[in-house]
Amino acid sequence: MDIKKMTLKQLKQKYNALIGSKNYNEIIEVCTQIIQLDPNNAEDFYNRGTAYANLKQSEKAIQDYNKVIELEPNNAEAFNNRGSAYTDLKQFGKAIQDYNKAIESNSKYAKAFYNRGVTYANLKQFGKAIQDYNKAIELEPNDAKAFNNRGSAYTDLKQFGKAIQDYNKAIESNSKYAKAFYNRGIAYGALGEEEEAIQDFKEAQKLDPSIIAKEQIKALEKEFEEKIQQTQDSNEEVQGFQTILEDLKEEHQTEEGDWFKWSKGAVGITLGLIVLALVLVSCGFLESGDTYIVYIFSSIVTFTIIRQYTNAKALRIEASNRVAMAKMFERVKHENNDYQTEFLPKLVDTIVYSTTKEKNNADGLVEKIINGLTKLKK
């Protein structure tokens, strides 16, 4: 029978028949039809949200849990499930806020403590994670997952003895818990107890032949995520480095433009003095020998300014090179030793050469000009 033609009672019966099955798409379809007929029943939104969550459609699940919370502001299960959806989306801050709300609504809600512990562990806040697992175990003393996860938190803190005790408890609560055997094997291996580790790995493999592969995949995924994060951080560093260079370039261009204006002014004044001296000589007010003194004086003034300009430019280049070198050293330290050995000497040589070259171009400028003018007079 077409569900769109069913009555509300028939739809409810249809939903009840689907409880416990994994026909999540059909459950969603039935719940959607129920909601159209009865749009203010929080339970129907909750049921559809749970089906969406099982299908890993977390955004849609959150929308339904939002509606449940709107209709029932103290619904601890809705807060907890919305927190789980946020956790799946790696929005851990929002997830923790929802678990807090769930615990405020129901202080005996072990699952909310457990889920918040998982979220803290994802944030590498293992101390807080352990506190939440403690509470979950206090409320549900036979929760194998809570023992296993607390053991994992202790493993991350390198407290392998405590970790093994928790894995033992998890296995006592669930003797078929492959992941607990696998994790205990890791802890034994870290303590150098290889025989015990091998036995646990074999037992885990026997209980779940895919367990080793699953954990290796998780490890690879974690390593991949860390490499992506490192790449993103490096890209941000490079972008920041490029911004610094662009700012330096603009600043240098402005300063060089100002110096160039002053230099042109100095040259103009010098030419003016020379022309004035020639006019005074032609009018008899100065002797020809006096013009040489004016010429020398004005030339020294002009080229002193030019020398200051070139020295200032060299210093600015050196400053920007030092900034570049610092940023490049920061970037290179993340690379392997061979790359560092090959790259760093070239980087240093290039910077020293560029700085020395700029300085050498300015050294002895005024002295060379005076010597040249003296030779010219002779």
Side-chain angles (χ1 to χ4, degrees), residues 5 44 66 94 112 125 167 235:
K5 296 179 181 180
D44 299 318
N66 289 344
K94 290 183 178 180
Q125 298 180 26
Y167 296 137
N235 288 341

Side-chain angles (χ1 to χ4, degrees), residues 171-324:
I171 292 167
E172 287 175 14
S173 297
N174 180 2
S175 61
K176 304 296 183 181
Y177 199 176
K179 191 170 183 180
F181 281 103
Y182 177 86
N183 287 340
R184 192 173 66 177
I186 294 291
Y188 276 132
L191 292 175
E193 300 179 19
E194 295 179 0
E195 290 184 9
E196 290 83 354
I198 291 170
Q199 288 177 359
D200 274 346
F201 289 143
K202 286 181 177 179
E203 186 63 26
Q205 187 75 6
K206 183 171 72 172
L207 292 169
D208 181 359
S210 66
I211 186 69
I212 303 296
K214 285 179 181 177
E215 294 304 320
Q216 288 177 340
I217 289 170
K218 286 182 181 178
L220 289 172
E221 287 176 343
K222 183 178 179 182
E223 182 181 353
F224 186 60
E225 287 179 359
E226 290 175 353
K227 287 185 177 181
I228 289 175
Q229 185 61 47
Q230 288 178 359
T231 301
Q232 291 174 342
D233 292 342
S234 298
N235 288 341
E236 290 177 1
E237 289 179 8
V238 171
Q239 290 172 359
F241 171 53
Q242 290 174 339
T243 301
I244 290 173
L245 290 183
E246 289 173 1
D247 292 341
L248 285 171
K249 182 179 179 181
E250 292 178 2
E251 183 180 347
H252 294 174
Q253 288 176 342
T254 301
E255 292 179 1
E256 288 171 10
D258 293 339
W259 272 101
F260 186 64
K261 291 177 184 177
W262 282 103
S263 299
K264 288 196 295 184
V267 172
I269 292 171
T270 300
L271 292 175
L273 288 173
I274 293 172
V275 172
L276 177 61
L278 292 174
V279 171
L280 292 174
V281 168
S282 64
C283 294
F285 291 103
L286 289 175
E287 296 181 0
S288 60
D290 296 331
T291 61
Y292 177 72
I293 296 173
V294 174
Y295 183 53
I296 288 292
F297 174 76
S298 59
S299 296
I300 290 174
V301 171
T302 300
F303 288 106
T304 298
I305 293 174
I306 294 174
R307 178 180 180 177
Q308 289 299 106
Y309 164 70
T310 54
N311 281 342
K313 182 177 179 180
L315 289 173
R316 286 195 298 275
I317 291 173
E318 182 177 8
S320 63
N321 283 343
R322 287 182 183 277
V323 172

